[in-house]
Amino acid sequence: MKFFKKGITMFLALALCLNFCGCGCFDRSWAIKCGDESLPTGVYVFFLMQAHQEAIQKLSQDGSTTDDITNATIEGQSAPNWIVEKSLSMCKDALVGEAMFSEMGLSLAESDEKQIQELVDSVMSSSGTMFANSGISRADVQRVVSAQVKRSKIFMAIYGKDGSNPVSDEAINRYYKESYMKLLFYSKMPTPSSESGDANNSDSGNKPEGENNQNQPAETDETIQSELNGYVDAINNGSKTLDQVREELKKSTPAQAGAPSDPLVEQIINPNSPTLASEIAEKVKALEKGKAAMVTLNNIYFLIYNAGAPTEDLDFSKDEAAEQKPESQDANQENSDQNAENDSEQEQESDESGKNSKRDNILSEMKRTEFEEKIKQKLDSLSFTINYNALNQFNPLMFNKLVNAAA
């Protein structure tokens, strides 16, 4: 009898186990589900790679070593746990965006589909082998890109000119003049003396070999900091005007073909933009109008000057004209615009879909926080199933070797 009971117990346990497997808990093809929709593990690995890159950036900004981040800490969590949580957050955002896209009755136009394919082709041509070795397929990349484009269309369906909560040109211009600033900057990076003579002497071809190097000392971190800090102090204490500094920079900067004649380059930026490097953002936010500062980013030294807020309204008619052009003309215009002088940060940046107008770029900055709150509210209303059996087969530090190889 005991043997019989023991046999029944083992049979029930085995049946339960088989039923458990039948529910998909040992199916490692998907990573996370929301309702009937799921994301494959390759999409999770794609986001794992992005999260790893973000972790490296955060640790680098904090001055921490990134050779081995196994024991590193990010925002109170171990680096591996932070990477996993960040990856899952990205997965949830993708599923939420897809759900909202469907609920709002939106669809991808033929131009959207073409754009997605072009973006996927571009990504796969540069990183396809690395993706394949990491378990990321072309279909996974397409799912990620498609989710980004859908998110952009959701945003415009709410805040665009024909959206449910449209934002007027007047409101955008008001935000632009209140939130953006004109920034003048001059950049310089260290160069050894063997390069300094060639780079800084336009008459090098008329002088005996080696003479240039003797006349042009190396540009070291110390000499550059001393030079730029000297200009900063002179501007801030009033001993030199901005124009005087500009003329001195012209004399000390060798003329190069195709380079702008003014050594002080103007950009109109949003200091609170998440796309702005934190080192630059911190300095800019603390910089008063008419004052200068020096900041270092990626071994490049910048002299920056706050020229105040923009005063003129933006002309959005160019955006409208561009939207009405045939696609071939639009592509030619984009190439032409890339060769023109950039007069603002938002003209340089493109959104996830890759084709943002000036108006859309500013609108994105203006409504970013509000839109993210809408996404969060939707996310909190949904339930997710996480397939840890699938996730656990991927080491969150699996991309360490790529970082070390690049270094």
Side-chain angles (χ1 to χ4, degrees):
M1 184 69 177
K2 289 182 179 180
F3 177 80
F4 182 69
K5 288 183 177 179
K6 184 176 181 180
I8 293 177
T9 303
M10 292 178 63
F11 174 78
L12 291 174
L14 178 60
L16 180 61
C17 181
L18 291 173
N19 185 57
F20 198 55
C21 294
C23 292
C25 290
F26 291 105
D27 178 4
R28 297 184 176 183
S29 65
W30 61 276
I32 183 171
K33 286 183 177 180
C34 179
D36 296 331
E37 296 296 324
S38 64
L39 289 182
T41 53
V43 172
Y44 168 75
V45 177
F46 185 96
F47 287 135
L48 198 69
M49 177 184 65
Q50 287 193 335
H52 184 274
Q53 292 174 341
E54 188 171 336
I56 294 296
Q57 291 174 356
K58 285 182 173 290
L59 291 170
S60 298
Q61 291 171 358
D62 293 339
S64 304
T65 179
T66 57
D67 294 336
D68 182 3
I69 64 173
T70 305
N71 299 316
T73 301
I74 303 176
E75 298 175 356
Q77 287 184 291
S78 68
N81 286 346
W82 186 91
I83 291 171
V84 170
E85 291 300 320
K86 185 68 175 180
S87 306
L88 286 173
S89 176
M90 292 177 179
C91 286
K92 291 178 179 179
D93 279 350
L95 286 172
V96 169
E98 291 180 344
M100 291 181 66
F101 188 83
S102 178
E103 290 175 5
M104 294 172 67
L106 301 176
S107 61
L108 294 174
E110 184 177 345
S111 59
D112 297 322
E113 297 285 4
K114 181 180 179 182
Q115 183 186 359
I116 291 171
Q117 293 304 320
E118 290 174 348
L119 289 170
V120 173
D121 288 343
S122 176
V123 171
M124 294 302 294
S125 65
S126 61
S127 307
T129 301
M130 185 269 288
F131 285 161
N133 293 336
S134 304
I136 304 171
S137 69
R138 179 186 174 88
D140 297 326
V141 176
Q142 182 159 332
R143 183 75 177 270
V144 172
V145 174
S146 178
Q148 292 174 338
V149 172
K150 288 179 178 179
R151 186 185 179 102
S152 178
K153 291 185 74 70
I154 293 170
F155 181 91
M156 295 308 298
I158 298 173
Y159 302 111
K161 287 187 175 181
D162 299 322
S164 58
N165 186 21
V167 181
S168 67
D169 289 350
E170 292 76 16
I172 293 177
N173 263 312
R174 185 166 56 251
Y175 172 81
Y176 169 70
K177 289 187 282 189
E178 291 175 352
S179 304
Y180 284 69
M181 64 177 286
K182 289 183 180 180
L183 187 73
L184 303 180
F185 74 90
Y186 171 80
S187 62
K188 207 168 192 179
M189 63 186 301
T191 57
S193 57
S194 59
E195 296 179 4
S196 180
D198 294 336
N200 295 334
N201 203 320
S202 58
D203 297 325
S204 58
N206 300 323
K207 293 187 178 182
E209 184 178 354
E211 184 176 335
N212 293 322
N213 294 342
Q214 296 173 2
N215 294 335
Q216 297 291 340
E219 291 278 19
T220 66
D221 294 271
E222 291 75 15
T223 59
I224 293 175
Q225 289 183 54
S226 176
E227 177 190 4
L228 298 189
N229 277 325
Y231 288 132
V232 169
D233 292 340
I235 291 173
N236 291 344
N237 64 29
S239 60
K240 290 182 181 179
T241 66
L242 183 66
D243 286 337
Q244 287 175 320
V245 170
R246 177 183 281 111
E247 290 304 315
E248 290 187 20
L249 289 174
K250 282 183 180 179
K251 293 177 182 178
S252 65
T253 305
Q256 296 181 1
S261 58
D262 190 346
L264 292 173
V265 180
E266 179 183 299
Q267 277 195 329
I268 300 180
I269 67 167
N270 182 350
N272 295 307
S273 171
T275 63
L276 189 64
S278 59
E279 297 91 337
I280 301 292
E282 290 174 5
K283 284 284 186 180
V284 169
K285 289 177 184 177
L287 196 59
E288 298 179 9
K289 180 180 178 180
K291 298 296 183 179
M294 189 194 73
V295 61
T296 309
L297 178 65
N298 297 330
N299 204 36
I300 301 176
Y301 293 88
F302 293 88
L303 166 66
I304 59 175
Y305 176 85
N306 183 351
T311 57
E312 297 181 356
D313 285 345
L314 291 169
D315 182 8
F316 297 129
S317 61
K318 294 180 180 179
D319 292 344
E320 295 175 356
E323 291 174 0
Q324 296 171 3
K325 289 181 181 179
E327 189 171 342
S328 59
Q329 292 183 19
D330 188 53
N332 292 334
Q333 182 63 42
E334 286 182 8
N335 292 333
S336 175
D337 289 344
Q338 289 175 358
N339 296 328
E341 181 178 355
N342 294 322
D343 59 7
S344 66
E345 179 192 72
Q346 63 272 12
E347 287 178 318
Q348 295 178 1
E349 298 173 358
S350 62
D351 69 341
E352 291 100 346
S353 67
K355 289 185 69 177
N356 244 13
S357 68
K358 183 189 300 182
R359 185 186 196 280
D360 293 347
N361 280 324
I362 300 175
L363 179 61
S364 176
E365 297 283 1
M366 180 180 180
K367 291 295 184 178
R368 184 189 303 273
T369 301
E370 182 179 313
F371 180 65
E372 289 177 349
E373 182 59 30
K374 290 181 182 292
I375 296 292
K376 183 180 182 301
Q377 290 176 1
K378 181 62 178 179
L379 188 151
D380 291 341
S381 71
L382 300 174
S383 60
F384 300 88
T385 302
I386 300 173
N387 187 359
Y388 286 105
N389 283 301
L391 270 56
N392 290 339
Q393 65 183 319
F394 301 105
N395 184 344
L397 302 180
M398 63 187 287
F399 293 103
N400 260 0
K401 59 182 182 294
L402 297 177
V403 174
N404 293 330

